[in-house]
Structures are given as C-alpha cells and as structure tokens.
C-alpha cells in the first residue's frame, strides 16, 4: 500500500529505441481465478506463470485464510524466466472452505474483492472484507445486489462500500441474474457462488465480458454452457441480444495444472511504448490473445500499428501468441462504445497512443472507467492536459488530439493508487522531450512489479525523482 511518506516519485524521459525480447508478467485475471479454483479443487493444482503482483498475492493469502494450502515452489524447469513462478495449491473441495480468523484484506484489487465476495457468500460463516483507500471507494453493490438473492447477507459501509461483512448461506439458491453491465467481475462472482448451489446458475450480460472464469471452469471439468440469446425488442443500448452463461453447481473438482499466459493488459504498455519511440522493435512471447481481451491491439492496428501475432496456440483453454511490435506512425480514429468490454483496462494507455498520433481520437462508452482503481476518465483528461495535450472528457467519452506533449518543463502527474495511470504517463514521457513524472510509482506493484527495470533494460530512461527536485 502507498502512504504519504512512502510515495515514490519517478520520472520518465525520452527513451532510446526499445529493442529486444521482453517477458511480460502473468495475466492478472487468470492468476486470481487459478488460485481460487485451485482452492476449490481436491488435490494439487500446479500454477506456472502466476503473476506475482500485489493484487494476486492478496488472493493467494485470502485463499490460505479460507483453508486452502498455497505454496510457492521454485523449480529449474519454470518456463516464465522468473517473472512468474510455480505455485502449488491444495484445495478443500466445493463447500470445504473454512471461516477466516481475520479480516480479508484485498488491497487494491477490485477483481479479488468481487470474486471473493461471490465465493464466501456460499459459506455459512461470516467473512469481513476490506481494501486500500482506492478499493474502499469502489462500489460493491454490483455484486451484493445479485448475491443477496441467493440468501447471503451483506453489511457494508454507506454507498455499499468496503469494509463489509458477508454472511453466507448453507442453502444457497441457484440464481438467474441479468446483469445490467458487461462485467466479468459481476459474472464471475455469481458463477463462483453458483458453483456451490444445487442446480443451474444463469448469468446474462449485454455483451460478453472476458470469459476467463468460463474457460477455467471448463478446464477443471465443470459443465458450462454459453450462448448468445436474442431478446427481441429489448430496446436496450447494447442491441437485442444477450450473452448467457450457465453453470451446473456442486461439481467434484480435482486439481489441474495451469499455465498462466502473459497479461495483454500489461503487454499493452510495452506495445504502445514501442509504437511511439522511433526505431523500436519488440518481441513479447506468450501473450494471452483471448478475443475478449484484445480490443486495444485491434484498435492500434486500425490506427496504423505494426503488430503481428506469431506462434498462436491454446494453453489451459486460453489462446496465446507471441507479439511482434515495431515503431509506427499512428492516426487518430473513433473507438466505438461496443469495444469497451474488450479493452476496458487499456483506455489509459490508448489515450497516450492517441496523444502521440496524428489527428483526433474519440473514445466512447467509458462510463465504467470512472469506477476503476481511480476515475480514469478524469485522470487521463487532466493528466494529458497537464502535459500540454489537447484532451477532454465529455460525458462518457474521451477526446484526445494528437501531436504529443508540448513544452519542455517536467510535469508531475498524481497517480491516486492507480497502477495503470502511473504506467501510462511513464510511457508518455518516453515518447517526447518533456520529462513526465508520476508522484507514486509504487502503485505499479499491484500488476507489474518489474515494469521500470524491464523498460529501462529495453532502452527507457525512468528514474526515481531526487528529493531536492521535489521541493
Ligand atoms: C476483471 C474484469 C474487468 C477488469 C479488471 C479485471 C476480471 O472488470 O477491469 O481489471 O478479472 O474479472 P469488469 O469486467 O468487472 O469491468
């Protein structure tokens, strides 16, 4: 966690061309789910490539607090070159988790908090949950509302915020829930509870959000049905079809090996940096190219980016490929609202790419961006403006005029406990003559602990801000 006294102000100056092969850390979404499913399966689940970011380590600690055995093991055969290490989880079986002796602290992680809320709502004991200042400000009603219908009870702070107490129910009712938003966290919370219910749990959403839970369930042998259903004259903004997932509860799960691919949302920072810094050429092996995660890459290609996928394959039910990226001249485009679920975490770094493109980029449908680790819509509009970029937030849209940062004076951007805001502005600093600092790079540890070391190894110039320069 970042506190006033431990802020780590960090500045990024124009980079040399970024060249080489870079190992991107494990996918955050899949890492959370691997630990949770390992804790629900009987016997040993071996996880390679697990993200060692703070968010995921919180979930590992929480699963141990709920009775699973979680151990890190080092073996010479580990494939992920030190960015991910092997974890072994011995689970308790569906229904076998036990009352935690202390508060479950989810740190900065909205995904951890929402998924674990779904999980513990299926157990007849009370769990207390909290998080850091960012997470305690984020809405939990999106999961407490559906989960309450199963019989679980929630006591929250005003505005349905953490800390909260969850008292689960032994007679969990299978739920049918039509989610108003395309949210993988909401869908997964309901499905994880549904895994414990007797019968069929159904979730529908306006458009499909990332489907890692469905894929991981199948990998463990759970019966999962997915389909797009026509809803006729719904008149809804998202059209007249909905994505539907059904899960048969109370399966017997046994441990499985899981190889976590590298996170496309983390790769995004290297990809955009390579596109913006002249002469760059990067190879990024083993990146998840789940179709519901690659909206950013599609968008960048539409903007003129040279991004190629090679060696495409399936691992543990997830499509992966190696990415090759070369410096490219980008053009502004309109990014439709329908693309938001497939790139919801990537708008901050897309806004940076847009700031350095030619022409205007308009991004619509960004309502959900306001309730992420920080209000990312305002953070990007204000931060870009501070760097001399013509950018504005208009309702749920972000409009950015290209041309790069103006001026030479260093500028300091507030991070507000948001890892992706920190990394985005450090990438912007690499692309021009104006040094760009962030007030707290320690936030990056939640998802990409070695971001600065990795970037500097490739040609970036990111340094701690000397104390004298802070006055
Ligand atoms: C996540 C879902 C996304 C995303 C988050 C990870 C997940 O949120 O922003 O970083 O792993 O389920 P929503 O789909 O709930 O918006």
């Amino acid at each position: 966690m970042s506190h006033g006294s431990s802020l780590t102000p960090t500045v990024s100056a124009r980079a040399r061309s970024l060249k080489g092969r870079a190992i991107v850390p494990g996918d955050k979404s899949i890492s959370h789910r691997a630990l949770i499913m390992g804790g629900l399966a009987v016997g040993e689940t071996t996880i390679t490539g697990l993200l060692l970011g703070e968010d995921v380590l919180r979930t590992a600690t929480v699963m141990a607090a709920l009775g699973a055995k979680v151990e890190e093991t080092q073996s010479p055969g580990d494939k992920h070159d030190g960015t991910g290490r092997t974890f072994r989880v011995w689970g308790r079986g569906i229904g076998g988790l036990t009352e935690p002796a202390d508060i479950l602290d989810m740190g900065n992680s909205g995904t951890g908090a929402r998924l674990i809320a779904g999980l513990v709502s299926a157990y007849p004991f009370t769990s207390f949950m909290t998080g850091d200042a960012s997470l305690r400000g984020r809405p939990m009603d999106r999961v407490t509302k559906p989960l309450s219908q199963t019989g679980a009870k929630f006591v929250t702070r005003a505005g349905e915020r953490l800390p909260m107490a969850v008292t689960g129910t032994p007679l969990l009712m299978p739920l049918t829930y039509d989610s108003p938003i395309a949210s993988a966290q909401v869908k997964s919370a309901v499905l994880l509870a549904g895994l414990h219910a007797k019968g069929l749990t159904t979730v529908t959403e306006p458009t499909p959000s990332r489907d890692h839970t469905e894929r991981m369930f199948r990998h463990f042998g759970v019966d999962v049905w997915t389909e797009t259903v026509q809803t006729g004259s719904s008149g809804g903004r998202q059209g007249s079809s909905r994505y539907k997932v059904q899960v048969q509860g109370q399966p017997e799960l046994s441990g499985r090996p899981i190889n976590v691919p590298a996170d496309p949302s983390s790769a995004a920072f290297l990809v955009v940096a390579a596109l913006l810094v002249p002469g760059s050429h990067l190879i990024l092996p083993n990146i998840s190219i789940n179709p519901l995660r690659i909206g950013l890459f599609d968008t960048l290609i539409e903007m003129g980016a040279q991004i190629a996928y090679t060696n495409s394959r399936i691992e543990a039910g997830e499509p992966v490929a190696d990415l090759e990226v070369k410096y490219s001249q980008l053009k502004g485009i309109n990014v439709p609202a329908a693309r938001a679920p497939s790139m919801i975490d990537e708008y901050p770094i897309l806004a940076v790419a847009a700031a350095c493109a030619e022409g205007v980029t308009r991004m619509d449908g960004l309502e959900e961006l306001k309730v992420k680790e920080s209000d990312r819509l305002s953070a990007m509009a204000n931060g870009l403006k501070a760097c001399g970029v013509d950018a504005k937030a208009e309702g749920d849209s972000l409009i950015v005029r290209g041309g790069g940062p103006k001026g030479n004076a260093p500028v300091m951007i507030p991070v507000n406990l948001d890892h992706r805001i920190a990394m985005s502005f450090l990438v912007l600093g690499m692309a021009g003559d104006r040094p760009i600092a962030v007030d707290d790079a320690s936030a990056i540890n939640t998802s990409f602990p070695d971001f600065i070391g990795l970037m500097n190894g490739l040609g970036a110039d990111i340094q701690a801000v000397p104390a004298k320069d802070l006055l």
Side-chain angles (χ1 to χ4, degrees):
M1 261 217 271
S2 310
H3 302 284
S5 59
S6 64
L7 292 183
T8 50
T10 303
V11 63
S12 174
R14 184 185 273 290
R16 293 192 312 275
S17 52
L18 304 168
K19 287 203 170 134
R21 203 179 131 86
I23 304 296
V24 173
D27 187 82
K28 185 150 71 68
S29 295
I30 299 175
S31 294
H32 283 297
R33 289 158 171 83
L35 289 165
I36 293 172
M37 289 302 285
L40 289 176
V42 176
E44 182 182 295
T45 289
T46 313
I47 311 171
T48 50
L50 189 85
L51 170 63
L52 296 176
E54 281 173 8
D55 278 14
V56 171
L57 296 177
R58 297 274 180 179
T59 293
T61 304
V62 162
M63 290 311 294
L66 290 166
K69 190 168 155 207
V70 183
E71 248 176 33
E72 185 181 347
T73 57
Q74 307 267 346
S75 70
D78 287 0
K79 279 173 71 180
H80 288 263
D81 308 3
T83 54
R85 294 196 290 253
T86 301
F87 274 68
R88 289 183 213 289
V89 183
W90 289 269
R92 303 293 294 245
I94 297 283
L97 298 178
T98 49
E99 185 196 69
D102 204 346
I103 298 168
L104 306 176
D105 185 349
M106 303 314 310
N108 188 250
S109 180
T111 304
R114 275 107 179 209
L115 269 53
I116 295 293
L119 180 68
V120 296
S121 74
Y123 285 86
F125 50 70
T126 300
S127 306
F128 297 89
M129 299 178 67
T130 192
D132 72 4
S134 155
L135 186 57
R136 279 182 274 119
R138 297 178 66 185
M140 290 295 143
D141 53 340
R142 56 186 54 203
V143 290
T144 57
K145 197 167 162 251
L147 294 170
S148 300
Q149 293 170 32
T150 64
K153 301 263 179 293
F154 294 85
V155 181
T156 66
R157 238 163 27 99
E160 301 277 312
R161 286 165 213 271
L162 296 178
M164 76 179 177
V166 187
T167 304
T169 167
L171 301 166
L172 195 79
M173 302 290 290
L175 196 63
T176 294
Y177 184 60
D178 294 320
S179 176
I181 48 174
S183 161
Q185 295 174 357
V186 172
K187 172 174 64 180
S188 305
V190 175
L191 293 178
L192 282 167
L195 219 44
H196 295 75
K198 201 169 180 159
L200 209 55
T201 291
T202 305
V203 187
T204 74
E205 48 183 353
T207 52
S209 62
R210 64 189 70 192
D211 60 353
H212 303 301
T213 301
E214 296 91 303
R215 287 174 186 264
M216 180 84 61
F217 278 12
R218 285 198 182 107
H219 182 62
F220 276 86
V222 179
D223 286 328
V224 181
W225 297 269
T226 56
E227 61 177 320
T228 301
V229 289
Q230 300 305 320
T231 53
S233 56
S234 79
R237 260 198 318 155
Q238 309 274 359
S240 57
S241 65
R242 291 183 68 86
Y243 170 72
K244 174 170 150 187
V245 188
Q246 291 189 299
V247 168
Q248 182 66 45
Q250 301 188 346
E252 278 180 28
L253 306 181
S254 44
R256 290 272 188 288
I258 299 170
N259 194 1
V260 180
D263 196 323
S265 302
S266 296
F269 299 101
L270 286 101
V271 167
V272 171
L275 293 172
L276 300 185
V277 177
S280 297
H281 183 183
L282 291 182
I283 307 282
L284 309 174
N286 199 39
I287 308 294
S288 161
I289 53 160
N290 182 312
L292 297 169
R293 292 290 299 281
I294 55 168
L296 173 76
F297 301 147
D298 293 343
T299 303
L300 290 169
I301 290 168
E302 220 178 300
M303 292 170 80
Q306 301 180 73
I307 300 175
Y309 303 128
T310 56
N311 194 17
S312 303
R313 58 205 184 272
I314 302 279
E315 283 195 30
E318 290 277 353
V320 296
D322 302 341
L323 254 62
E324 183 176 11
V325 193
K326 291 182 185 154
Y327 167 73
S328 308
Q329 256 149 15
L330 303 179
K331 283 202 169 42
I333 58 165
N334 287 340
V335 187
R339 208 172 286 171
S342 68
M343 55 180 296
I344 193 64
D345 293 334
E346 281 66 76
Y347 284 99
I349 192 63
L350 175 61
V352 165
C356 299
E358 191 192 311
V360 174
T361 298
R362 184 186 172 97
M363 296 156 254
D364 291 326
L366 306 189
E367 199 180 348
E368 278 293 302
L369 229 53
K370 299 175 189 167
V371 289
K372 292 295 177 187
E373 285 82 332
S374 70
D375 174 351
R376 289 181 174 159
L377 188 51
S378 307
M380 288 317 296
N382 296 337
L384 288 175
K385 270 189 260 174
C387 299
V389 175
D390 181 1
K392 62 178 174 190
E394 225 177 58
D396 295 337
S397 301
L398 179 62
I399 300 149
V400 179
R401 183 176 295 278
K406 310 274 180 315
N408 293 322
V411 55
M412 178 76 86
I413 305 295
V415 165
N416 291 320
L417 295 175
D418 192 328
H419 52 134
R420 297 197 206 279
I421 297 299
M423 287 186 276
S424 296
F425 281 100
L426 292 176
V427 169
L428 185 60
M430 292 176 205
D433 288 327
R434 182 164 195 175
I436 297 179
V438 296
D439 68 349
D440 187 15
S442 72
I444 296 172
N445 292 335
T446 64
S447 68
F448 202 155
D450 192 34
F451 174 76
I452 294 173
L454 184 69
M455 282 296 196
N456 283 345
L458 295 168
D461 176 8
I462 307 176
Q463 311 294 339
V465 177
K468 67 177 177 40
D469 294 343
L470 290 173
L471 301 172

